[in-house]
């Protein structure tokens, strides 16, 4: 085909009609994509986040769906006074305005009673320190049991009458009894509980305490 014939063919109406049709089709596709994206993202549509706290997971899910929202469990906690599956927390505060389709992450009350590791308090802390640590972790603590030993020093922990060690997992429903030293009263009582072979001043060879009566003039 000669060059002159090519331009003559290109200038014919059917070719320009085809080009115009292609341009119009391309514009129509762009408009359709923009329209569909607008529908998908629900541009301009907003909803208020409902309060889900202290509601069952099923009720919370229904409330969320009514507003075009979704909920998903992100973690569990434990509140003994609330039923299992109750929503304890939500990551988006009630009343906040969001787009439909948003996911609200919630913390629900555990279906099982949680267990906590016993901290290292045995022979490592005073009674006051031990009680403060146990209560801070959520343990129930009963009246301490006094045993022979240094006053206010922790010597053991009982659960259902059995000794437990640091690191053991214990249900928060269990009551812990801390075994604490009652003290000996004075130094003489401490010395009388031991056997000595020393003949230092104040001790006899038999190992008993000899109390020396000294009068200050």
């Amino acid at each position: 085909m000669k060059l002159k014939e090519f331009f003559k063919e290109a200038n014919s109406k059917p070719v320009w009609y085809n080009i115009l049709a292609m341009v119009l089709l391309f514009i129509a596709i762009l408009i359709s994509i923009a329209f569909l994206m607008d529908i998908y993202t629900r541009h301009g549509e907003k909803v208020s986040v409902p309060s889900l706290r202290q509601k069952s997971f099923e009720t919370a899910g229904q409330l969320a769906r009514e507003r075009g929202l979704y909920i998903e469990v992100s973690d569990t906690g434990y509140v003994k006074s609330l039923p299992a599956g109750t929503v304890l927390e939500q990551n988006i505060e009630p009343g906040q305005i969001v787009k439909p389709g948003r996911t609200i992450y919630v913390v629900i009350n555990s279906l099982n009673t949680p267990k906590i590791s016993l901290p290292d308090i045995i022979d490592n802390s005073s009674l006051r320190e031990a009680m403060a640590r146990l209560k801070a972790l959520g343990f129930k603590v009963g009246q301490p049991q006094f045993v022979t030993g240094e006053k206010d020093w922790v010597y053991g922990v009982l659960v259902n009458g059995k000794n437990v060690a640091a690191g053991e997992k214990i249900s928060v429903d269990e009551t812990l009894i801390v075994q604490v030293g009652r003290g000996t009263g004075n130094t003489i009582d401490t010395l009388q509980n031991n056997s000595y072979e020393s003949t230092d001043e104040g001790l006899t060879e038999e190992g008993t305490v000899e109390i020396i009566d000294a009068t200050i003039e």
Side-chain angles (χ1 to χ4, degrees), residues 156-167:
V157 176
L158 300 176
V159 176
N160 295 323
K162 296 181 180 180
N163 284 98
V164 292

Side-chain angles (χ1 to χ4, degrees), residues 12-31:
S12 64
K13 291 183 178 180
V15 174
W16 286 109
Y17 287 155
N18 290 335
I19 294 174
L20 181 60
M22 291 176 62
V23 171
L24 293 175
L25 178 61
F26 180 72
I27 294 173
I29 291 173
L30 290 179
I31 294 174

Side-chain angles (χ1 to χ4, degrees), residues 83-104:
T86 301
V87 175
L88 303 178
E89 290 294 337
Q90 58 188 93
N91 73 322
I92 305 178
E93 289 298 317
Q96 187 170 336
I97 305 300
V98 299
K99 290 184 179 181
R102 186 79 176 269
T103 298
I104 304 172

Side-chain angles (χ1 to χ4, degrees), residues 11-197:
N11 288 328
S12 64
K13 291 183 178 180
V15 174
W16 286 109
Y17 287 155
N18 290 335
I19 294 174
L20 181 60
M22 291 176 62
V23 171
L24 293 175
L25 178 61
F26 180 72
I27 294 173
I29 291 173
L30 290 179
I31 294 174
S32 298
I33 292 174
F35 179 72
L36 292 174
M37 288 295 293
D38 190 52
I39 294 176
Y40 178 75
T41 58
R42 298 188 182 185
H43 181 69
E45 188 177 349
K46 302 291 177 89
V47 293
S48 176
V49 174
S51 176
L52 306 178
R53 293 187 178 95
Q54 297 195 8
K55 294 179 174 60
S56 69
F57 184 72
E58 292 75 16
T59 300
Q62 182 178 350
L63 287 173
R65 287 191 296 272
E66 288 175 354
R67 305 193 186 194
L69 303 172
Y70 303 93
I71 65 171
E72 186 173 326
V73 177
S74 62
D75 201 357
T76 58
Y78 183 70
V79 177
K80 188 175 181 179
S81 59
L82 295 176
T86 301
V87 175
L88 303 178
E89 290 294 337
Q90 58 188 93
N91 73 322
I92 305 178
E93 289 298 317
Q96 187 170 336
I97 305 300
V98 299
K99 290 184 179 181
R102 186 79 176 269
T103 298
I104 304 172
Y105 293 94
V106 297
V107 177
I108 64 169
N109 206 24
S110 177
L111 301 176
N112 302 308
T113 303
K115 292 185 177 182
I116 306 174
S117 296
L118 182 70
D120 186 16
I121 59 173
I122 300 172
D123 202 23
N124 193 38
S125 62
S126 67
L127 176 61
R128 177 176 294 183
E129 293 169 340
M131 297 287 274
R133 290 182 65 183
L134 293 174
K135 290 180 179 180
L137 289 171
F139 284 112
K140 292 193 299 183
V141 185
Q143 291 295 321
Q145 180 185 91
F146 291 96
V147 298
T148 301
E150 183 179 343
K151 184 176 177 61
D152 291 336
W153 192 248
V154 174
Y155 287 96
V157 176
L158 300 176
V159 176
N160 295 323
K162 296 181 180 180
N163 284 98
V164 292
E168 286 192 40
K169 295 281 189 178
I170 303 170
S171 169
V172 295
D173 282 343
E174 300 288 358
T175 299
L176 276 60
I177 304 298
V178 179
Q179 293 180 309
V180 58
R182 66 166 60 89
T184 53
N186 54 53
T187 306
I188 294 175
D189 290 339
T190 302
L191 295 175
Q192 287 177 333
N193 289 331
N194 297 283
S195 175
Y196 293 90
E197 296 181 355

